[in-house]
Amino acid sequence: MSAIVISAVGWFLLQQTRDGLLRHRVDVVVGEVEAEVAAARDRLSAASGAEDNASVQRADLIDPIILEGESRGYGVVLGGPADSETRLSDGGAYRTTGLAVSSVPRRLQAHFEDANRSTAWTYTEIVRTLPDGSTVSEPGVVVGSQVQLPADGQTYTIYFLFPLTEEEETLDLVTRALLTAAGLLLVLVAGITWLVTRQVVTPVRMARRVAERLAAGRLQERLRVTGEDDLARLAHSFNQMASNLQRQIRQLEELSWVQRRFVSDVSHELRTPLTTVRMAGDVLHDARRDFDPATARAAELLQAELDRFETLLVDLLEISRFDAGAALLDVEDINLLDIAHRVVDAARPLADQRGVLVVVEQPAQPVRAQVDPRRVERILRNLVTNAIDHAFPDDLDRPIVVRMAADEHAAAVTVRDRGVGLAPGESAMVFNRFWRSDPARARSSGGTGLGLAISLEDAHLHGGWLQAWGRPGDGAQFRLTLPRIAGTALRHSPLPLAPVDEADADAGPDDDTPAPNPGREPSRGVPS
């Protein structure tokens, strides 16, 4: 932008300088011509009584002017009578030596076709013939004026040709000066711009680097504050913000640690009294046939709630291991179909009680992967029992379907039910701890509300994905995707997230995009 502005200003200055030089030169040469013509007229008036020959008068008229022009650097050409057909001839004797009469433009000659015309001028290209026969041309100004000879009464035109060599040199000098000044000004502007940019951008870049380090967890990073300008105040405010964030994050970390420690301690401490209560409950449950009906029913309820309480403690202990980063994998290369059949066989009594059919589709090829069998079986068990819980009872026409597939890099299992489904936005919330889509809905399996949260952590521990799709009244589908080889990164899933029978369904996240972890970052640094 500075170059454009400087170029425009330079061009304007050059035009103004050029116009000024030319105007001044024209004024000067027109004045000289009028002075020369007046002197010639005076000579003719003084000699008119003694000389009758027109040729002699022409010589007396033009010779002093030509000599004056040669000494002062301009050329002179004498034209013929104004009313003659040939007013200007290359063979004319009355002109400066070597000067071509073609230097006089036709338009100026046309101006002097008649007598008694005023002095006129125009720009031209002066052509000269050098002694060696070569020709040169240069810009110039030609001025014409008319003079009447007393001898013949004819009016002749005298053309004065003034070169613009000095003006051209002056204009070249001004151009070089402007170019030099423009170059220096551009360098100055560039230097100032670099300095200002350095003063402004460098602190911003430092703030960006510090912000990146803060985002990476290095909460002790701060900006160096120098001066008292706006950037210094910004750096000071940034440091205050970083200090407040560090303090709040530490408070949250301490609170989270206290919560995890509390859950872990409570879970461990409750196991001892639970064991004692379990022993007493088992004795009462075994002897319930000897009790009256009300006491027998109470013994059965006590046994069921003890089972549920024990499951809750186990889940809380497992969650505390994930929170502490102490969960480990015991990897084996197994066929996921065997795990699926084992889970479905174990859940069949619950499915029969609900009047629901659970079907495992036979894959086209074995679905093998390097996984922890115990954790994968727990994931599938949670998904299947959750599907049975939320399926419509006594609906054998719409079974729960377990599908699986594998490719070169990944293995996937989907559990599709035709139950109550999920409302928009619940596909991510379903993995929150203790979250239930319908708190008033009874659970047939007596779940703790931690099953899907633990399943999500198990999937992340494998480096896999656990995602959900659902539509109200049309059921839900959960998809587990695991890498075939432990430790490799997932890029896609062999099965779609949306059910294949829902071609027009909104699948939510892209099939190859992992679902967000609603609770926290996965354990052991596995990408969520």
Side-chain angles (χ1 to χ4, degrees), residues 380 383-384 387 400-403 413-417 476-478:
L380 295 183
L383 296 182
V384 171
I400 296 171
V401 180
V402 180
R403 295 185 181 92
V413 181
T414 62
V415 179
R416 170 76 162 113
D417 67 75
Q477 176 165 292
F478 287 79

Side-chain angles (χ1 to χ4, degrees), residues 347-348 350-351 354 356 358 383-391 400 444:
R348 185 161 285 115
L350 178 62
R354 291 275 295 173
V356 178
V358 183
L383 296 182
V384 171
T385 55
N386 190 68
I388 295 173
D389 269 343
H390 292 85
I400 296 171
S444 302

Side-chain angles (χ1 to χ4, degrees), residues 209-401:
R209 288 193 290 267
V210 172
E212 290 174 351
R213 289 194 287 267
L214 286 173
R218 298 168 60 180
L219 303 178
Q220 72 281 359
E221 291 289 336
R222 296 294 184 272
L223 285 174
R224 186 176 61 223
V225 180
T226 56
E228 297 181 356
D229 54 3
D230 290 338
L231 290 176
R233 289 194 291 271
L234 176 62
H236 182 69
S237 300
F238 184 91
N239 291 339
Q240 286 183 334
M241 177 190 69
S243 299
N244 293 334
L245 287 176
Q246 182 181 17
R247 182 172 60 255
Q248 293 178 8
I249 290 174
R250 285 179 176 174
Q251 291 176 353
L252 291 175
E253 288 177 347
E254 292 175 357
L255 178 60
S256 177
W257 180 84
V258 170
Q259 290 176 339
R260 292 196 299 269
R261 183 62 180 269
F262 174 77
V263 171
S264 178
D265 291 346
V266 168
S267 302
H268 282 88
E269 293 298 328
L270 286 178
R271 293 187 67 86
T272 300
L274 178 62
T275 302
T276 304
V277 175
R278 163 67 71 180
M279 293 174 60
D282 289 342
V283 171
L284 293 176
H285 187 267
D286 293 340
R288 68 185 182 281
R289 294 183 180 86
D290 300 333
F291 300 152
D292 58 88
T295 305
R297 178 57 180 166
E300 292 175 355
L301 292 176
L302 175 62
Q303 188 72 9
E305 292 303 317
L306 284 174
D307 291 339
R308 183 176 179 181
F309 187 54
E310 187 173 12
T311 302
L312 176 61
L313 283 180
V314 171
D315 290 345
L316 287 174
L317 286 173
E318 191 67 21
I319 286 290
S320 66
R321 292 191 193 95
F322 284 119
D323 291 338
L328 300 175
L329 289 177
D330 186 9
V331 176
E332 297 180 19
D333 188 357
I334 61 172
N335 189 351
L336 297 183
L337 181 61
D338 298 337
I339 297 179
H341 281 298
R342 191 159 59 244
V343 169
V344 171
D345 291 341
R348 185 161 285 115
L350 178 62
D352 293 340
Q353 179 183 351
R354 291 275 295 173
V356 178
L357 183 62
V358 183
V359 177
V360 179
E361 288 191 355
Q362 186 69 25
Q365 58 183 358
V367 182
R368 303 193 66 87
Q370 296 178 0
V371 297
D372 187 334
R374 180 180 66 85
R375 296 184 183 277
V376 173
E377 183 175 349
R378 179 166 59 191
I379 296 174
L380 295 183
R381 182 171 63 249
N382 284 329
L383 296 182
V384 171
T385 55
N386 190 68
I388 295 173
D389 269 343
H390 292 85
F392 294 113
D394 301 324
D395 189 1
L396 298 178
D397 294 334
R398 298 193 295 179
I400 296 171
V401 180

Side-chain angles (χ1 to χ4, degrees), residues 315 319 378-387 390 422 426-436 443 448-460 466-468 478 517-518:
D315 290 345
I319 286 290
R378 179 166 59 191
I379 296 174
L380 295 183
R381 182 171 63 249
N382 284 329
L383 296 182
V384 171
T385 55
N386 190 68
H390 292 85
L422 295 172
E426 291 183 351
S427 58
M429 298 175 61
V430 73
F431 297 104
N432 290 346
R433 299 176 185 181
F434 301 108
W435 184 86
R436 296 178 66 182
R443 289 180 178 266
T448 63
L450 294 173
L452 290 179
I454 294 175
S455 299
L456 182 65
E457 296 288 355
D458 283 332
H460 289 161
L466 183 58
Q467 299 161 275
F478 287 79
N517 186 357

